[in-house]
Amino acid sequence: SWMVALSQGLGITMVILMGVWLNTYMGGFAWDGSGKEFNLHPLCMICGMVFLYGEAALVYRVFRQTEKLKAKIIHASLLLLAFIAIVVGLVAVFQFHHKMHITNMYSLHSWFGMITVLLFCLQFLLGFLSFLLPGARPSIRSFYLPLHQFFGGGILTLAVISVISGINEKLFFKYKGTGYSKLPASAVIANVCGLVTIGFVLTILYI
Amino acid sequence: SWMVALSQGLGITMVILMGVWLNTYMGGFAWDGSGKEFNLHPLCMICGMVFLYGEAALVYRVFRQTEKLKAKIIHASLLLLAFIAIVVGLVAVFQFHHKMHITNMYSLHSWFGMITVLLFCLQFLLGFLSFLLPGARPSIRSFYLPLHQFFGGGILTLAVISVISGINEKLFFKYKGTGYSKLPASAVIANVCGLVTIGFVLTILYI
Ligand code: HEM
Ligand code: HEM
Ligand code: HEM
Ligand code: HEM
Ligand SMILES: O=C1O[C@H]([C@@H](O)CO)C(O)=C1O
């Protein structure tokens, strides 16, 4: 349907805007503990925790004719990829903080972010145990399914909160004093990326 | 039910934490264009856009035996109070920016905040026209009701995004450099207020 097309357009735009912002305006990427390594944090988080996650949430609704087991394997594989991106994104910011001698886990952004990631891991484990392992009893599956769906949407919402607060604080860091308020191109791109992100998530939750 | 009790506990804790944070650690309140006037912004936004809004959303679900027209009037009155708080909260931050010669509407927080408030106003207008005016046709009511409910939850979610990004950026403003990362009492209180806020909203959306 056109809603699915819209979601895909928004999702790709979101990832491209984030990539262009970090690559062209924020110094690009590297794995050296510097600000370039930090840049992998927002990129990996938006790819894993929003884009791949959102695609995985769509699988059952878009491929309705597909065999159930096949759909499950696609769902779980996309989320496994998401998990890998998330781990890389977290290692990047923790290594950056370590090298710069900055304390970990102080900001409200990082608290929300960590809660989001922990709930994601729990959902992954429970989803795997209940739906993919052949041994799980049907009664467990039907008890857990509505919870899995409710938390599926909830975790995605928490991920948006993390993304928006993250972009917002990074722009305040980068443009100290009144720099952000002059809205240079870089700030506009990142702000628009934030708006596109909520658009993507809204279409996913709606479909 | 105990969920309603929990939501009330979280809601009151949220407002108290915000009040204590602003009053005891951020300089208190005044109406003079200074940082003390700014402090009315977070307080009014959390009272109007989250607490009163959340209470209004509960009305139909908690007072099920109440006459429908009575419930509608309570719902609409709470949202009118919310609207007044929101206007005061916005005037406070715009006057503060004017006095300090800071540009308006540059941050991602302010963009999300403004979208939230505009959608709130639209919802208020449409809700009033469709449900309270005696003239509205039943076909219009039944068409608009599911939309009103979907946007009701959506606007509350946008409000949380605005609150979390707002608390987060204010703490980075206040504790320049590495001050925030030392987690002084004020920062812990504000961070916890952010967590309690999402707790309040989750219980409201769940009930
Ligand atoms: C779902 C998405 C995200 C999650 C789960 C997340 C999670 C985290 C976590 C757990 C930390 C703490 C790292 C430490 O203390 O060593 C952190 C730090 C940080 N993140 Fe994110 N993040 C996300 C997205 C973003 C985005 C899109 C940006 C935008 C640039 C960003 C910017 C930052 C910054 C600047 C820090 C360091 C300062 C601080 O601790 O707040 N984050 N993030
Ligand atoms: C972090 C890991 C996971 C997340 C975030 C996640 C997320 C989601 C979301 C958002 C939905 C809702 C889709 C909808 O309502 O249409 C969903 C449904 C589902 N997920 Fe997962 N999931 C995870 C892991 C798994 C795993 C490992 C499995 C095992 C195959 C699984 C099996 C299912 C099933 C069977 C559904 C229900 C589809 C239906 O509506 O019939 N999930 N998941
Ligand atoms: C639903 C809740 C909220 C909404 C709708 C909202 C909306 C806004 C808007 C529209 C502005 C722009 C004002 C201007 O440019 O003159 C603004 C600024 C600001 N708000 Fe909020 N706000 C909310 C909650 C909060 C909270 C809880 C805080 C916490 C302290 C906060 C902190 C700030 C700060 C520091 C600014 C000035 C810097 C900036 O423009 O980002 N806000 N807010
Ligand atoms: C900014 C203004 C408004 C907001 C944010 C708002 C929000 C909400 C929310 C969140 C719900 C969902 C409650 C639920 O699902 O149980 C709701 C339901 C409703 N609202 Fe509003 N509302 C607004 C204005 C109005 C006005 C002015 C009226 C006129 C009386 C109205 C009438 C209703 C009705 C009839 C329902 C449906 C209750 C049901 O589930 O049967 N709303 N509103
Ligand atoms: O609370 C605030 O702090 C900044 C600025 O005054 C700090 O430099 C700003 O725009 C606010 O609204």
Side-chain angles (χ1 to χ4, degrees), chain A residues 168 172 180-181, chain B residues 18 21-22 26 38-39 41-46 48-50 86 89-98 102-118 155-156 158-171 173 190 193 197:
Chain A
N168 197 51
F172 277 108
Y180 189 1
S181 71
Chain B
M18 183 56 91
W21 177 51
L22 295 167
M26 304 299 280
F38 168 84
N39 284 346
H41 170 66
L43 186 69
C44 289
M45 297 329 260
I46 214 128
M49 201 70 241
V50 185
I86 291 165
L90 282 188
V91 170
V93 63
F94 275 88
Q95 278 196 9
F96 166 69
H97 274 185
H98 182 73
I102 302 172
T103 326
N104 294 315
M105 296 305 303
Y106 61 93
S107 71
L108 189 53
H109 164 74
S110 64
W111 290 18
F112 266 88
M114 193 51 83
I115 290 173
T116 312
V117 171
L118 291 178
I155 294 168
L156 191 54
L158 285 171
V160 192
I161 298 181
S162 307
V163 167
I164 302 306
S165 57
I167 295 176
N168 197 50
E169 77 181 38
K170 187 67 187 177
L171 286 168
F173 277 143
C193 179
T197 303

Side-chain angles (χ1 to χ4, degrees), chain A residues 101-112 115 150 154 157-158 160-161 163-169 171-173 177-178 180-183 187-188 190-192 194-195 198 202 205-206, chain B residues 101-112 115 150 154 157-158 160-161 163-169 171-173 177-178 180-183 187-188 190-192 194-195 198 202 205-206:
Chain A
H101 305 288
I102 302 172
T103 326
N104 295 314
M105 297 304 304
Y106 62 94
S107 71
L108 189 53
H109 164 75
S110 64
W111 289 19
F112 267 88
I115 291 173
F150 177 79
T157 307
L158 284 170
V160 192
I161 297 182
V163 167
I164 302 306
S165 56
I167 295 176
N168 197 51
E169 77 181 38
L171 287 166
F172 277 108
F173 276 143
T178 58
Y180 189 1
S181 71
K182 300 218 169 69
L183 274 183
V188 175
N191 278 2
V192 171
L195 294 184
I198 191 95
L202 284 180
L205 293 179
Y206 185 89
Chain B
H101 306 288
I102 302 172
T103 326
N104 294 315
M105 296 305 303
Y106 61 93
S107 71
L108 189 53
H109 164 74
S110 64
W111 290 18
F112 266 88
I115 290 173
F150 178 79
T157 306
L158 285 171
V160 192
I161 298 181
V163 167
I164 302 306
S165 57
I167 295 176
N168 197 50
E169 77 181 38
L171 286 168
F172 277 108
F173 277 143
T178 59
Y180 188 2
S181 71
K182 300 215 171 71
L183 275 183
V188 175
N191 278 2
V192 172
L195 294 184
I198 191 94
L202 285 180
L205 294 179
Y206 185 89

Side-chain angles (χ1 to χ4, degrees), chain B residues 20 62 67 128 154 186:
Chain B
V20 168
V62 172
E67 214 188 310
F128 185 81
S186 148

Side-chain angles (χ1 to χ4, degrees), chain B residues 2-115:
Chain B
W2 66 270
M3 248 315 192
V4 175
L6 178 64
S7 75
Q8 299 309 297
L10 288 170
I12 290 165
T13 310
M14 167 184 83
V15 171
I16 291 178
L17 284 176
M18 183 56 91
V20 168
W21 177 51
L22 295 167
N23 189 59
T24 311
Y25 296 94
M26 304 299 280
F29 307 101
W31 194 258
D32 56 2
S34 77
K36 297 186 184 191
E37 181 168 337
F38 168 84
N39 284 346
L40 285 168
H41 170 66
L43 186 69
C44 289
M45 297 329 260
I46 214 128
C47 286
M49 201 70 241
V50 185
F51 185 71
L52 290 168
Y53 185 123
E55 298 296 299
L58 283 189
V59 167
Y60 301 106
R61 307 191 179 189
V62 172
F63 304 119
R64 286 185 202 277
Q65 285 93 329
T66 310
E67 214 188 310
K68 193 77 191 200
L69 182 63
K70 224 179 197 167
K72 282 189 185 182
I73 290 173
I74 301 176
H75 182 74
S77 308
L78 284 169
L79 290 163
L80 186 64
L81 283 181
F83 176 75
I84 295 169
I86 291 165
V87 170
V88 175
L90 282 188
V91 170
V93 63
F94 275 88
Q95 278 196 9
F96 166 69
H97 274 185
H98 182 73
K99 173 111 174 221
M100 299 289 170
H101 306 288
I102 302 172
T103 326
N104 294 315
M105 296 305 303
Y106 61 93
S107 71
L108 189 53
H109 164 74
S110 64
W111 290 18
F112 266 88
M114 193 51 83
I115 290 173

